[in-house]
Amino acid sequence: MGLGQVALILGVVALALGGAGLAIALTHAGPAGPTGPTGNTGTTGLQGPPGPGATVEQNFNAGTTTIAGVCTYYEGSNLSFNVTTPGTFVLSASVTLYLYHTSGYSPYEKISLTNASGSSCSQTGDLYAVPSLASGEPTGYYLPTVSVVQSFVVGSAGTYTFGLAGIAAGGGSGDFCDFYYAGVVGVFYPS
């Protein structure tokens, strides 16, 4: 055999061994390397705006205001809200009156919560309570208490003021009625 044939045989053997080595390398992976370092944690984002929770206001007033035969606001009973969205106000009040009654007459009052910033004083436009005394009650001073509840829907942001109002009717010439004290609570629910 010649030298050329030996080189050809050795070349074929080398090619076969190289192919076998490549096949072993592709089918048999070595052991896993160590875990790399942990990356940096991202920064915390900004806090979002507050959710549309309810807003609560309350007022207690012990001042007196005489209730006339026309719609009379109770000075000092107001609640003011500054709201940023449309929504609904729900207000409630417990009201005690100071009433002088003459026997033989039937005095009564209409007491309501009213939207002082959005409408005129209106006993017929708002829900109202009617404290009254029977004509047969003895002449003297009385402290009747009533509760009123009213809701008001507003269609835009703004400042809104609510309070108590009343109208006196009936009674003798010397009879009178005052707002004596009241607790008013209001809650605003955004739409």
Side-chain angles (χ1 to χ4, degrees), residues 135-150:
S135 62
E137 295 291 329
T139 297
Y141 295 95
Y142 294 86
L143 295 170
T145 298
V146 294
S147 295
V148 288
V149 176
Q150 179 77 37

Side-chain angles (χ1 to χ4, degrees), residues 67 72 74 93-97 108-114 123 126-131 146-149 164-168 177-179 182:
I67 302 172
T72 307
Y74 184 16
S94 177
V95 185
T96 298
L97 305 174
Y108 68 92
E109 289 69 39
K110 291 181 179 178
I111 307 299
S112 70
L113 287 157
T114 188
Q123 300 309 121
D126 299 324
L127 301 175
Y128 58 87
V130 182
V146 294
S147 295
V148 288
V149 176
L164 287 162
I167 296 175
C177 184
D178 292 343
F179 284 109

Side-chain angles (χ1 to χ4, degrees), residues 99-110:
L99 173 69
Y100 181 77
H101 161 68
T102 303
S103 184
Y105 294 93
S106 297
Y108 68 92
E109 289 69 39
K110 291 181 179 178

Side-chain angles (χ1 to χ4, degrees), residues 4-139:
Q5 289 177 335
V6 171
L8 182 61
I9 292 172
L10 287 176
V12 170
V13 169
L15 187 61
L17 287 174
L22 181 61
I24 292 172
L26 292 176
T27 59
H28 293 84
T35 302
T38 302
N40 293 333
T41 302
T43 59
T44 302
L46 299 174
Q47 181 165 345
T55 303
V56 179
E57 296 288 342
Q58 63 182 358
N59 182 8
F60 179 79
N61 187 34
T64 59
T65 299
T66 299
I67 302 172
V70 295
C71 193
T72 307
Y73 286 104
Y74 184 16
E75 298 299 327
S77 70
N78 290 348
L79 293 179
S80 288
F81 292 83
N82 186 9
V83 298
T84 58
T85 65
T88 302
F89 291 96
V90 178
L91 291 98
S92 62
S94 177
V95 185
T96 298
L97 305 174
Y98 182 68
L99 173 69
Y100 181 77
H101 161 68
T102 303
S103 184
Y105 294 93
S106 297
Y108 68 92
E109 289 69 39
K110 291 181 179 178
I111 307 299
S112 70
L113 287 157
T114 188
N115 181 351
S117 60
S119 65
S120 61
C121 185
S122 172
Q123 300 309 121
T124 57
D126 299 324
L127 301 175
Y128 58 87
V130 182
S132 62
L133 291 172
S135 62
E137 295 291 329
T139 297

